[in-house]
Amino acid sequence: MSDADAATVARPAWRFDRPDEEQPSLREVNASIAVPRTGVWFRRLFAFMGPGYMVSVGYMDPGNWATDLAGGAQFGYTLLFIIMLSNLMAILLQALAARLGIATGRDLAQACRAYYPRPVNLLLWIACELAIIACDLAEVIGTAIALQLLFGIPLIGGAMLTALDAFLVLLLMNKGFRYLEAFVVALLIIIFGCFAIQIFVAAPPAGTILHSMFVPSPEIVTNPAMLYIAIGIIGATVMPHNLYLHSSIVQTRAYERTDAGKRDAIKWATTDSTIALILALFVNASILIVAAVAFHDTGHHHVAEIGQAFELLSPLLGLGIASILFAVALLASGLNSTVTATLAGQIVMEGFLRLRIPQWARRLVTRGIAIVPVVVVTALYGEKGTGQLLVFSQVILSMQLPFTVVPLVQFVSDKKKMGNFAIPRGVAVLAWVVAAVILVLNFKLLYDTFAG
């Protein structure tokens, strides 16, 4: 019996089994990366490393920087616990997304199409497209600000230049998915290195950091201003498009499509994303720690915008290149985020609509929709308006979260759909609690944003 026949016999007739007429997710790279079936554990882990790092990009994108800066400048190290908590939530949800993709052979968009009625799918697709546009908006703003800080390019010019990254993504995709992953990891190393140097120079108190990270302060709840920023940190953590993205790109590995092969793939994919999200935790915590040392400890509690941080960082830390490192990390973050937004857009459109359009057209349309409001708002209201537009993009992302988290948790906890790969009852309860916390906090953030 061939491997294909064995896989057919071993695969149960789940409702999520892909019908013959449905194409695999990201079919041009699906199962394109070889996975060793034997050998030391490190070789197998290395084969699965990549998707987790691409997903981690969304947890350190320019949209997260403002909340981390404001939290550190106003309240020192206190909100490190919130960053740790939100990162643990992200680790759980991304593990569930990887499980869905590997176990069912469908990404989250395809799963929604297979299970929900057509009107519901249309609503989910529209909501997800809005989230991708909002995410792209944050990337355009972040990249434009970084280009202005580093090279003096006006915000409008910087926003226009971000359209060129569409061709970079296409070039990398044509070379192979591993090249795309290598590009992402290289930029992540740059971001990590920039903040590692700043943390070394800032020399924050290790004991205080560990205590703040693992022991919550009652003031987080009792202080309204601190609670608002804490909600913002959690609300900006889980990126909706990341769950669609992760459920798809884990299928780029050529693991055996049998129960045993899928279980092994889920184990390594979860390990990959967990390690990568710990890196994202370091970056987000570093932004807050650097802000605490440079701004809170020196009495500059008002710093909340990226431009302000750039101007004050070098003189307050006493390191001439501190501001440059900060801007370089921001530029790398913005460039990196464009890769994930491109893929997520393709996955969502193909999964919900089974509509395939050229990647260059998809990328230019999405990026164009993001560039236009940045250019208009910058021309009318200047840099302050651009900062408010960045906040608005995070509000849009928050509004989309229920349309992503709820279907994911519902699918992976349903034995009728997942068979033996359904998550245990305890994990399901935890996942629903996490989903409820994220949704409640995001609704409160939305209410506070629109009410006052």
Side-chain angles (χ1 to χ4, degrees):
M1 182 181 293
S2 68
D3 289 346
D5 293 335
T8 302
V9 172
R11 186 174 60 221
W14 305 332
R15 289 183 63 181
F16 271 168
D17 270 354
R18 191 173 60 244
D20 293 337
E21 67 273 13
E22 184 173 277
Q23 296 293 334
S25 184
L26 288 179
R27 65 179 181 180
E28 61 270 23
V29 292
N30 191 278
S32 63
I33 299 175
V35 174
R37 300 186 180 184
T38 58
V40 295
W41 66 270
F42 182 77
R43 288 184 67 241
R44 294 183 62 75
L45 175 60
F46 181 76
F48 280 95
M49 289 177 66
Y53 292 90
M54 296 187 70
V55 167
S56 72
V57 168
Y59 294 95
M60 56 183 94
D61 76 337
N64 291 333
W65 286 47
T67 52
D68 292 338
L69 283 172
Q74 292 185 43
F75 307 112
Y77 309 105
T78 306
L79 292 178
L80 280 174
F81 174 78
I82 298 299
I83 290 181
M84 169 68 83
L85 179 63
S86 61
N87 205 79
L88 292 175
M89 292 179 177
I91 287 174
L92 173 62
L93 292 176
Q94 293 299 158
L96 298 183
R99 174 180 289 266
L100 175 69
I102 292 171
T104 68
R106 281 193 166 111
D107 59 54
L108 181 56
Q110 291 174 329
C112 290
R113 179 183 174 89
Y115 181 67
Y116 292 131
R118 187 176 182 86
V120 175
N121 271 301
L122 184 60
L123 175 64
L124 292 175
W125 171 68
I126 292 173
C128 195
E129 289 290 353
L130 289 174
I132 291 172
I133 292 171
C135 183
D136 215 43
L137 189 63
E139 294 154 11
V140 169
I141 294 172
T143 304
I145 291 175
L147 290 172
Q148 182 188 51
L149 297 177
L150 287 171
F151 308 110
I153 299 174
L155 284 178
I156 293 178
M160 299 296 290
L161 284 175
T162 61
L164 297 178
D165 63 42
F167 303 101
L168 174 63
V169 173
L170 290 174
L171 174 65
L172 293 171
M173 281 288 285
N174 289 335
K175 283 183 168 292
F177 202 74
R178 271 301 205 190
Y179 284 89
L180 196 64
E181 292 176 345
F183 174 76
V184 168
V185 171
L187 289 180
L188 287 176
I189 292 173
I190 292 174
I191 297 171
F192 184 89
C194 288
F195 279 108
I197 294 172
Q198 293 178 75
I199 290 292
F200 177 79
V201 173
T208 302
I209 289 174
L210 291 175
H211 182 270
S212 300
M213 188 167 287
F214 293 101
V215 181
S217 170
E219 191 180 1
I220 295 175
V221 178
T222 58
N223 185 332
M226 189 179 296
L227 178 61
Y228 180 78
I229 294 181
I231 292 173
I233 290 174
I234 293 178
T237 295
V238 180
M239 295 287 102
H241 71 281
N242 264 351
L243 302 177
Y244 290 95
L245 176 70
H246 202 191
S247 63
S248 174
I249 59 178
V250 290
Q251 299 179 53
T252 57
R253 271 53 187 174
Y255 52 85
E256 294 183 65
R257 265 54 177 181
T258 62
D259 279 9
K262 289 176 180 179
R263 289 191 186 281
D264 191 59
I266 289 172
K267 177 183 70 174
W268 293 117
T270 302
T271 303
D272 168 53
S273 63
T274 300
I275 295 172
L277 288 175
I278 291 175
L279 172 63
L281 170 64
F282 170 82
V283 171
N284 282 324
S286 295
I287 297 172
L288 188 141
I289 292 169
V290 169
V293 174
F295 309 135
H296 183 268
D297 294 351
T298 59
H300 295 78
H301 299 171
H302 64 283
V303 176
E305 295 183 1
I306 294 172
Q308 292 176 300
F310 177 83
E311 294 175 1
L312 297 173
L313 206 52
S314 284
L316 292 179
L317 279 184
L319 177 67
I321 63 170
S323 294
I324 299 298
L325 292 173
F326 181 83
V328 168
L330 177 63
L331 179 60
S333 174
L335 289 174
N336 236 350
S337 298
T338 62
V339 175
T340 58
T342 299
L343 287 177
Q346 179 181 346
I347 291 162
V348 166
M349 181 169 287
E350 292 179 2
F352 278 114
L353 306 180
R354 293 183 182 170
L355 177 63
R356 295 180 60 85
I357 64 174
Q359 293 184 42
W360 63 268
R362 163 79 206 188
R363 187 65 196 138
L364 288 179
V365 169
T366 305
R367 180 45 53 102
I369 293 174
I371 289 175
V372 170
V374 175
V375 171
V376 172
V377 170
T378 303
L380 295 178
Y381 303 103
E383 295 182 17
K384 184 177 180 180
T386 306
Q388 293 174 344
L389 192 60
L390 182 61
V391 173
F392 177 72
S393 72
Q394 301 309 295
V395 172
I396 296 297
L397 285 171
S398 298
M399 292 174 65
Q400 205 277 329
L401 267 176
F403 301 100
T404 305
V405 174
V406 171
L408 173 64
V409 178
Q410 180 187 6
F411 291 155
V412 296
S413 58
D414 191 336
K415 288 184 177 293
K416 293 181 180 179
K417 300 177 181 62
M418 295 285 289
N420 295 329
F421 291 98
I423 57 178
R425 184 179 298 273
V427 178
V429 170
L430 179 61
W432 280 116
V433 169
V434 168
V437 169
I438 291 174
L439 298 184
V440 169
L441 292 182
N442 273 280
F443 284 137
K444 187 179 189 317
L445 180 63
L446 291 172
Y447 175 80
D448 291 344
T449 300
F450 288 115

